[in-house]
Amino acid sequence: MDGRKIKVCPGCDGEFETDDNRVKYCSDGCRRSAALNKVKECQKVKNKETNVTKKCCICNAVFIDTTINHCKNTCSEECAKEKKHINYLKWKNENPESYKESQKKSITRKEKIGYWKKYRIKKRLKTIKKN
Ligand SMILES: [Zn+2]
Ligand SMILES: [Zn+2]
């Protein structure tokens, strides 16, 4: 008698032979993936526990905040966008100088893009002429 036993691996449902009673899994891979699954399950439970029912600050709809730090205050992508827009308008009202600055910057950026486009076209025309 050599004490070998046939066991079923809980990771892959495959049968394997072992003489060690403590061995549960057929391989290191199965043991590791099982450990990972356990961690995932724990995280799922944690997330469930941290779910908080909130009211959307834009449309007043009730929604469930599943984020870990409960930073959500809008029910949907659309409301989040709306909130961003409102925040932007608020910022614009409160910081008219900064708004003007940012507008200027965006204009010069557009002008630069236009300049480079023209530059590239000129360059292309030159090389065409050379050929
Ligand atoms: Zn296995
Ligand atoms: Zn909403």
Side-chain angles (χ1 to χ4, degrees):
M1 288 294 261
D2 60 358
R4 278 186 168 267
K5 271 187 194 166
I6 304 280
K7 281 192 171 184
V8 177
C9 168
C12 64
D13 280 334
E15 283 184 359
F16 67 104
E17 229 181 300
T18 179
D19 52 9
D20 190 341
N21 251 332
R22 287 165 300 177
V23 172
K24 257 189 182 173
Y25 299 95
C26 69
S27 64
D28 260 2
C30 279
R31 197 168 48 79
R32 246 178 254 143
S33 65
L36 257 177
N37 274 340
K38 234 183 196 175
V39 171
K40 271 185 197 161
E41 281 299 309
C42 281
Q43 274 169 350
K44 256 190 213 163
V45 172
K46 236 187 198 171
N47 280 349
K48 254 185 201 163
E49 278 170 359
T50 56
N51 280 357
V52 169
T53 311
K54 285 187 178 177
K55 235 182 199 183
C56 175
C57 69
I58 300 298
C59 70
N60 270 331
V62 175
F63 72 100
I64 293 162
D65 186 355
T66 53
T67 57
I68 289 159
N69 46 8
H70 303 138
C71 55
K72 247 177 140 181
N73 40 28
T74 47
C75 69
S76 62
E77 196 106 331
E78 271 83 58
C79 285
K81 263 186 208 161
E82 184 69 29
K83 200 190 155 221
K84 239 188 193 172
H85 186 64
I86 288 170
N87 279 346
Y88 173 69
L89 292 180
K90 224 174 151 189
W91 170 81
K92 206 170 112 178
N93 269 335
E94 283 164 9
N95 308 279
E97 288 306 311
S98 315
Y99 172 68
K100 264 183 210 160
E101 273 303 302
S102 78
Q103 284 299 96
K104 254 191 228 161
K105 265 182 202 161
S106 72
I107 286 166
T108 50
R109 212 180 292 142
K110 269 178 204 160
E111 276 172 353
K112 259 186 194 164
I113 289 167
Y115 169 78
W116 281 111
K117 258 187 194 163
K118 271 180 206 159
Y119 175 78
R120 264 186 222 128
I121 290 165
K122 263 188 201 165
K123 217 179 167 189
R124 213 177 286 154
L125 285 175
K126 263 185 195 169
T127 49
I128 288 167
K129 268 178 195 166
K130 264 184 199 166
N131 291 336

